[in-house]
Amino acid sequence: MTTELERLGTHLAELLDWRAAVATEVEGVLRMDRDALRAWRERALVESVTHALQGSPFYARRLADTARALTEHGDVAALSRLPFTTRQDLHDGYPFDFLAVPRGDVARFGESSGTSTGTSIAAYFTARDWITNNCTVAHFLKQVLTADDVAAVAVPYELAGVGQDLDRSLELVGCTVVALGALTQFCPPERMVDLLRETGVTTLVCSGTRALYLAQVARARGLDPRRDLKVSKVLFAGEGASPAKRQKLHQVWGARSHAMYGMTETNTLGMFCRHDALHLIENRSWFEAVHPETGQPVEPGEVGELVVTSLRAEAMPLVRYRTGDLCRIDDTPCPCGSALRTLRHHGRLADRVLVNQTPISQLQLEDVIMSHLDEAPFYFAFKARDAELLVGLTANNMTDRVRDAIRADLDGRYRIPASFTLMSEEAFEQSIRSAVKPTMKSFLID
């Protein structure tokens, strides 16, 4: 008679075989050449929109009269004629109006942090959705990490899913994972720094803002991040990073930085390669770039709002989801050999500020201001005020040289006039310490 232990062993063996099959499938797609990948993606697009139409209550209503050319006749070009899905749609459909499988097939449920809009939305995945994304992320992590790396994950584990996803992916690479989390009474920034030292962390996974702050905390504890800690890589998650911020991170940590890009509702959208290009995750999503106001496709290579359609997503397929992010898609082959196109992120539409009738993204402002700050801490703040930009600087950087350089750069690049005010370093640090996901929002002057 088969014992319970034997049945459990059989089940675990089957589960491991299934995970291995998913990993093999992921690697097979990611290693395709461009022609093979294009054909695979077109088939997956038709299947995915069909699945959304047939399984999701929202898309059964939204696409009932518009998707036939794509779902029945395979006309991929017809995708651009389908209506957009917005974050408001996801908010209105909370929690399960987008669910396209039986409730019992959902392996993971999460919600966004709502940091961009102030409202949360739900996201859910089947086991295959989840493992496929884990394996995809691991494929790219292996470009710069090995089993010898010790990775500290300082991003939210609560609901959003990014912490768990990166945690599992790092395990697949073979890394030692130190799960710092984002904001708990048990692991404040000082404890985080102690753990970096005590466990020999080589890779820090967090937003660029948190990474700069942790370097400042280390210095306050008598440590030199470059000399006394072993962090050689910083992986960005949850926040874009300008070239200037990446340069400052290299300055304070002596580390290379690599960008990752994704959203709770879409999972991973972009991952780095060993040449530090940000590759679109085209085995998981179909990407378009459209004009933010007209919704019409932009010319190849132009900046537009990124629009995402899920490929092979079982639990929560999305069709033409407007991300609210300004991006440029580049199909120039990458030296790493991947057939996946690359992406350049230009900031969120909602985060643009209007100064002197000129819209400018927070990432653009960060690049200008931070590039001229002389010494740590590299804190600053800003606010659009009438026809000028008010820039807050800490006392250590409130010098004539810094102010003149920022003023000239803003005027030269964007024709934006600037004035300056002394900001409270203590208040700024408190805003970072109390933020689950410290980002560019921390730099706003109330």
Side-chain angles (χ1 to χ4, degrees):
M1 179 179 290
T2 302
T3 67
E4 186 63 29
L5 186 60
E6 289 172 332
R7 284 194 293 271
L8 178 60
T10 299
H11 173 73
L12 290 175
E14 291 173 347
L15 180 61
L16 290 173
D17 287 344
W18 175 79
R19 288 171 62 98
V22 173
T24 299
E25 179 183 346
V26 168
E27 286 295 324
V29 175
L30 291 175
R31 296 183 186 281
M32 289 179 177
D33 61 30
R34 288 206 167 190
D35 289 339
L37 180 62
R38 184 182 301 110
W40 182 93
R41 283 167 40 77
E42 290 180 353
R43 293 193 300 272
L45 177 66
V46 175
E47 294 170 3
S48 297
V49 177
T50 301
H51 173 61
L53 175 63
Q54 294 176 347
S56 163
F58 175 83
Y59 287 117
R61 299 189 303 271
R62 176 64 64 89
L63 302 179
D65 301 319
T66 57
R68 185 172 294 112
L70 177 61
T71 59
E72 295 183 9
H73 304 292
D75 181 6
V76 173
L79 177 69
S80 63
R81 299 193 292 273
L82 298 183
F84 293 113
T85 303
T86 66
R87 186 182 176 91
Q88 186 63 47
D89 291 326
L90 270 60
H91 176 71
D92 294 343
Y94 178 93
F96 288 117
D97 199 31
F98 284 78
L99 183 62
V101 296
R103 187 80 61 89
D105 289 348
V106 173
R108 299 197 70 91
F109 176 92
E111 294 187 4
S112 72
S113 60
T115 52
S116 297
T117 63
T119 60
S120 293
I121 56 177
Y124 22 90
F125 310 93
T126 66
R128 178 172 287 276
D129 293 333
W130 185 250
I131 298 301
T132 298
N133 199 79
N134 295 162
C135 293
T136 300
V137 173
H139 170 91
F140 287 93
L141 291 176
K142 290 175 184 176
Q143 300 268 333
V144 300
L145 301 180
T146 72
D148 293 328
D149 279 294
V150 180
V153 182
V155 298
Y157 275 72
E158 305 87 346
L159 281 179
V162 60
Q164 292 93 333
D165 184 39
L166 287 167
D167 196 300
R168 304 301 188 276
S169 301
L170 288 162
E171 284 182 354
L172 291 174
V173 176
C175 300
T176 300
V177 178
V178 183
L180 300 180
L183 184 67
T184 73
Q185 60 179 317
F186 306 108
C187 196
E190 289 77 14
R191 182 61 180 136
M192 289 184 179
V193 169
D194 290 344
L195 283 165
L196 297 185
R197 177 173 53 84
E198 293 163 357
T199 62
V201 166
T202 64
T203 304
L204 181 57
V205 184
C206 61
S207 70
T209 299
R210 190 185 297 279
L212 284 176
Y213 180 62
L214 289 176
Q216 185 67 11
V217 172
R219 284 191 291 271
R221 296 178 78 75
L223 300 172
D224 180 340
R226 295 179 68 113
R227 184 191 66 232
D228 300 322
L229 301 176
K230 296 181 179 180
V231 174
S232 61
K233 295 171 282 286
V234 177
L235 310 186
F236 290 132
E239 178 190 29
S242 66
K245 177 178 279 184
R246 299 180 74 162
Q247 192 278 328
K248 297 301 184 190
L249 282 166
H250 179 71
Q251 180 178 331
V252 300
W253 285 101
R256 290 193 62 186
S257 58
H258 304 276
M260 300 180 286
Y261 172 48
M263 300 176 179
T264 298
E265 60 270 33
T266 63
N267 224 323
T268 309
L269 296 175
M271 283 293 295
F272 54 81
C273 70
R274 63 181 179 274
H275 291 276
D276 208 27
L278 183 60
H279 285 272
L280 289 168
I281 304 302
E282 294 189 286
N283 64 316
R284 302 287 291 136
S285 295
W286 185 283
F287 297 95
E288 305 171 74
V290 303
H291 192 283
E293 296 176 4
T294 68
Q296 295 301 308
V298 300
E299 293 297 320
E302 289 187 359
V303 175
E305 181 182 359
L306 193 69
V307 174
V308 174
T309 298
S310 307
L311 296 182
R312 299 285 175 87
E314 295 179 334
M316 188 177 168
L318 295 173
V319 179
R320 303 203 80 204
Y321 178 63
R322 298 189 72 150
T323 63
D325 285 351
L326 288 171
C327 301
R328 179 172 62 83
I329 298 174
D330 189 352
D331 63 359
T332 304
C334 179
C336 76
S338 173
L340 305 180
R341 294 175 297 170
T342 57
L343 177 79
R344 183 66 59 89
H345 193 277
H346 291 269
R348 294 191 63 81
L349 283 163
D351 291 341
R352 290 188 301 178
V353 294
L354 188 65
V355 185
N356 199 25
Q357 303 303 310
T358 301
I360 183 170
S361 75
Q362 292 182 14
L363 276 178
Q364 290 171 316
L365 287 176
E366 176 186 270
D367 194 41
V368 171
I369 297 170
M370 192 170 281
S371 67
H372 298 294
L373 301 184
D374 282 335
E375 60 183 50
F378 300 110
Y379 302 156
F380 69 93
F382 61 88
K383 181 179 182 179
R385 186 177 67 176
D386 300 325
E388 67 176 6
L389 184 75
L390 178 63
V391 179
L393 299 175
T394 52
N396 64 309
N397 282 306
M398 185 64 84
T399 65
D400 289 342
R401 192 212 69 78
V402 170
R403 285 180 291 178
D404 289 346
I406 293 173
R407 186 182 290 113
D409 207 350
L410 285 171
D411 180 63
R413 290 202 218 182
Y414 305 110
R415 294 292 183 264
I416 290 178
S419 61
F420 298 87
T421 186
L422 187 66
M423 64 178 286
S424 168
E425 185 175 323
E426 180 180 356
F428 183 82
E429 288 194 7
Q430 184 57 42
S431 72
I432 293 180
R433 292 180 71 92
S434 61
V436 174
K437 189 170 67 174
T439 67
M440 284 293 294
K441 292 287 190 181
S442 304
F443 299 135
L444 298 176
I445 297 177
D446 292 335

